[in-house]
Amino acid sequence: MYLDPEEEKMLDGEYGEAIAMAMKTVLRVAEALKAERLVRVKNAHISGISYKNIGDEGLQFLEELAAKGGRVSVPSSMNPAGLDLAQWRNMGVDKGYFEKQMRIINALAALGVKPTLTCTPYLYEDISYGDHLAWSESNAVLYANSIIGARSNRDGGPLALFEAIVGRAPLAGLHVESNRRPELVIDFTSVSKEVEEQNMYSVAGLLVGALTGNRVPLVRGLKLSKERLDYIKLFLAAVGATGGTGLVLIEGASPENYPASGVDTIKVDFKMLRETLDNYSGTDEGAIVLGCPHLSLDEIMDIISRLPENGTATRKIFLYTSREVYEALSAYMPKLREKNVYVFADTCMVVSPLNIYAGKEVITDSGKAAFYLKAQGYKVKLVSRQKAIEMAFT
Ligand code: F3S
């Protein structure tokens, strides 16, 4: 494989042990993917940083990498952690867990990764069409590729970190234009109205992921546009939960436009949507959890506007967002708490100890959260955001 002179030096250890180790790993992956060379990346996003997920082994790996002098060479951000850094006591988290999580965040910060702790880097990072990225976190990769037209593979957290250190990724997969063309068409035209009226974008996403696997689908007939950020986020996150693809070409929303000739078409009918939804009808009890992916400020303001003027929710509503949005909401917090609504930053319902502070039965509007929480043994009901709010106030 071709390496430029600087890449050779990285590999030979001229810039230190950590960079050489990172380069060796990136090259191993590049060879496995049959890449002919590496491509420079503009930005990295590192997932898999919750202590709940990576445990002591992951913590040790990060601390050792930092001790060896590792440092990212491009702007890099962190996915949510296993707790809210300020409100962890309210989550029932014990001190030992908190301390281990902080060591993970501190090790990543020592490596130069910004402690953004959100899974929506596309709302905060400076990325645009054609940029090559080293992102892990499936919903972020799907958004970057499908809506912005940037180029990233669905990397694992450690690979994204190594790519951030060397500033390069294998020129393979979705970094290559010829791999971004549709391999099948999924046509929602005949159920477009139902999906729109019943806010079934999470359900549509779960279905697309399951039908697509690792292929690139062209999705037709969904009324998704960049203006409906809430729908697009829910849809793409759900695709990422049930499928392995990192790119969905959405008619009307994706900037890339390739012909879909000679590929199979799957026509979606209402029965397919209903069967997908029926997998997540496990409970009518429990707390409401919204914010997978993390809610934007506009989304939270929209939720606030839908809360009834008077009265308190009969069950707890948990909202998950970034620290930046949380801080922008400070004036609303007392009123929200009065209504039995709680906002957490830095974490989410999937990677925090939800069973401790919310119990084992939950209702969500997120197909991704429903998929992963069900896999963790929770009883989950998937409903629209509006329906979830109504359930909380009846
Ligand atoms: Fe984000 Fe957690 Fe969902 S990291 S996409 S809110 S599972």
Side-chain angles (χ1 to χ4, degrees), residues 134-350:
W135 280 15
S136 45
E137 172 44 54
S138 59
N139 103 83
V141 172
L142 276 153
Y143 191 96
N145 279 316
S146 312
I147 305 303
I148 297 173
R151 296 179 178 197
S152 179
N153 284 327
R154 267 177 75 163
D155 293 333
L159 177 61
L161 181 56
F162 286 138
E163 290 171 342
I165 290 172
V166 299
R168 289 151 172 85
L171 184 60
L174 295 173
H175 289 285
V176 179
E177 182 172 326
S178 57
N179 295 330
R180 299 175 68 88
R181 290 161 189 274
E183 295 170 283
L184 84 159
V185 174
I186 304 182
D187 191 345
F188 283 85
T189 307
S190 71
V191 289
S192 175
K193 205 161 149 247
E194 287 86 348
V195 173
E196 174 77 2
E197 284 174 2
Q198 298 177 39
N199 283 342
M200 294 180 91
Y201 290 104
S202 277
V203 183
L206 290 167
L207 184 58
V208 168
L211 294 170
T212 298
N214 292 327
R215 293 173 291 177
V216 175
L218 172 66
V219 169
R220 251 184 208 142
L222 286 183
K223 291 182 186 149
L224 285 170
S225 69
K226 282 187 194 162
E227 288 65 47
R228 287 317 304 248
L229 178 68
D230 47 352
Y231 292 163
I232 287 199
K233 284 167 64 209
L234 288 172
F235 173 73
L236 290 174
V239 173
T242 51
T245 188
L247 167 63
V248 180
L249 297 163
I250 307 167
E251 272 190 1
S254 293
E256 287 166 280
N257 193 359
Y258 305 110
S261 47
V263 301
D264 291 342
T265 295
I266 300 173
K267 289 188 186 294
V268 174
D269 58 32
F270 198 72
K271 186 165 168 270
M272 293 161 84
L273 288 170
R274 174 52 59 190
E275 282 171 2
T276 304
L277 182 59
D278 284 349
N279 290 323
Y280 305 99
S281 53
T283 183
D284 282 327
E285 306 300 323
I288 311 284
V289 291
L290 308 175
C292 171
H294 271 179
L295 296 162
S296 67
L297 183 56
D298 284 350
E299 286 179 277
I300 297 198
M301 294 312 292
D302 176 58
I303 289 170
I304 291 173
S305 75
R306 296 194 215 180
L307 301 177
E309 190 95 347
N310 301 310
T312 301
T314 54
R315 57 180 95 202
K316 287 186 172 167
I317 302 178
F318 294 102
L319 309 179
Y320 301 85
T321 188
S322 66
R323 174 68 43 195
E324 188 175 316
V325 170
Y326 182 91
E327 280 164 10
L329 285 167
S330 56
Y332 294 88
M333 291 306 174
K335 188 87 192 145
L336 287 173
R337 274 183 222 121
E338 242 172 60
K339 291 207 165 291
N340 215 10
V341 179
Y342 306 87
V343 185
F344 285 131
D346 316 318
T347 189
C348 76
M349 66 289 264
V350 175

Side-chain angles (χ1 to χ4, degrees), residues 100-123:
K100 294 274 177 88
Q101 182 63 70
M102 286 312 296
R103 278 174 59 190
I104 291 172
I105 294 168
N106 290 340
L108 281 162
L111 288 160
V113 184
K114 292 176 285 179
T116 51
L117 302 173
T118 179
C119 52
T120 54
Y122 41 86
L123 300 181

Side-chain angles (χ1 to χ4, degrees), residues 48-127:
I49 72 148
S50 157
Y51 179 64
K52 181 179 164 190
N53 291 345
I54 65 171
D56 289 324
E57 215 175 310
L59 166 60
Q60 194 186 342
F61 160 76
L62 292 171
E63 286 186 337
E64 281 175 10
L65 194 60
K68 283 183 183 140
R71 184 102 196 146
V72 297
S73 62
V74 295
S76 304
S77 50
M78 283 182 216
N79 223 36
L83 42 75
D84 181 311
L85 266 48
Q87 302 182 81
W88 57 276
R89 285 188 185 84
N90 298 348
M91 297 182 129
V93 171
D94 70 59
K95 197 151 183 270
Y97 181 97
F98 168 72
E99 285 170 352
K100 294 274 177 88
Q101 182 63 70
M102 286 312 296
R103 278 174 59 190
I104 291 172
I105 294 168
N106 290 340
L108 281 162
L111 288 160
V113 184
K114 292 176 285 179
T116 51
L117 302 173
T118 179
C119 52
T120 54
Y122 41 86
L123 300 181
Y124 306 98
E125 299 295 313
D126 172 25
I127 58 163

